[in-house]
Amino acid sequence: EVQLVESGGGSVQPGESLRLSCKASGFRFSTYDMSWIRVRPGKGYEWVSGISKDGERKVSGDSARGRFTISRDNVKNELYLQMSGLRTEDTALYYCARGGLYGLEDPVIRGQGTQVTVAS
């Protein structure tokens, strides 16, 4: 059974940083591209950033480019998202997802999410 467990969310002020983590199990993590997606209040899924199986290729959407960095550890079976310069519009439920190097996959295979709230 595929399991993705996100952690690291919280409440921060604009301009601060957070590091999200995702622990994967139930599948061969190192053979899959991975991604971070989010759901902002009242919106649908938004793809944030993707990373290739070997971690060499990283792709970010407009909202993340220059502020968020995706990475992975294929020994620990973990995915990360380092977020800096957080803005109020980054408030969302963040999910790690299997696949999605360049955008949302269908179907979306994701964890239960971790909440990020950015407010002054």
Side-chain angles (χ1 to χ4, degrees):
E1 178 190 359
V2 173
Q3 285 202 329
L4 297 166
V5 180
E6 301 92 341
S7 61
S11 295
V12 297
Q13 294 190 339
E16 293 186 339
S17 300
L18 276 175
R19 187 189 192 218
L20 307 183
S21 299
C22 171
K23 180 70 175 177
S25 61
F27 65 102
R28 201 165 169 188
F29 181 73
S30 62
T31 66
Y32 285 87
D33 298 335
M34 295 292 295
S35 59
W36 286 96
I37 62 177
R38 69 185 184 185
V39 176
R40 291 188 284 177
K43 307 284 188 181
Y45 286 124
E46 176 187 0
W47 175 82
V48 175
S49 189
I51 188 168
S52 61
K53 304 171 185 60
D54 59 5
E56 291 295 312
R57 208 172 334 151
K58 301 176 184 182
V59 186
S60 290
D62 290 342
S63 62
R65 198 168 296 125
R67 298 187 302 129
F68 298 176
T69 302
I70 191 170
S71 62
R72 66 191 295 163
D73 186 329
N74 284 347
V75 173
K76 295 182 178 179
N77 288 352
E78 292 186 352
L79 179 72
Y80 309 104
L81 186 68
Q82 178 67 48
M83 305 188 294
S84 61
L86 283 161
R87 304 166 180 165
T88 56
E89 56 263 39
D90 294 318
T91 294
L93 192 55
Y94 284 75
Y95 301 96
C96 70
R98 196 172 77 173
L101 176 58
Y102 295 109
L104 281 172
E105 295 254 324
D106 184 18
V108 174
I109 299 173
R110 58 160 175 84
Q112 292 191 321
T114 186
Q115 177 67 40
V116 172
T117 302
V118 185
S120 55

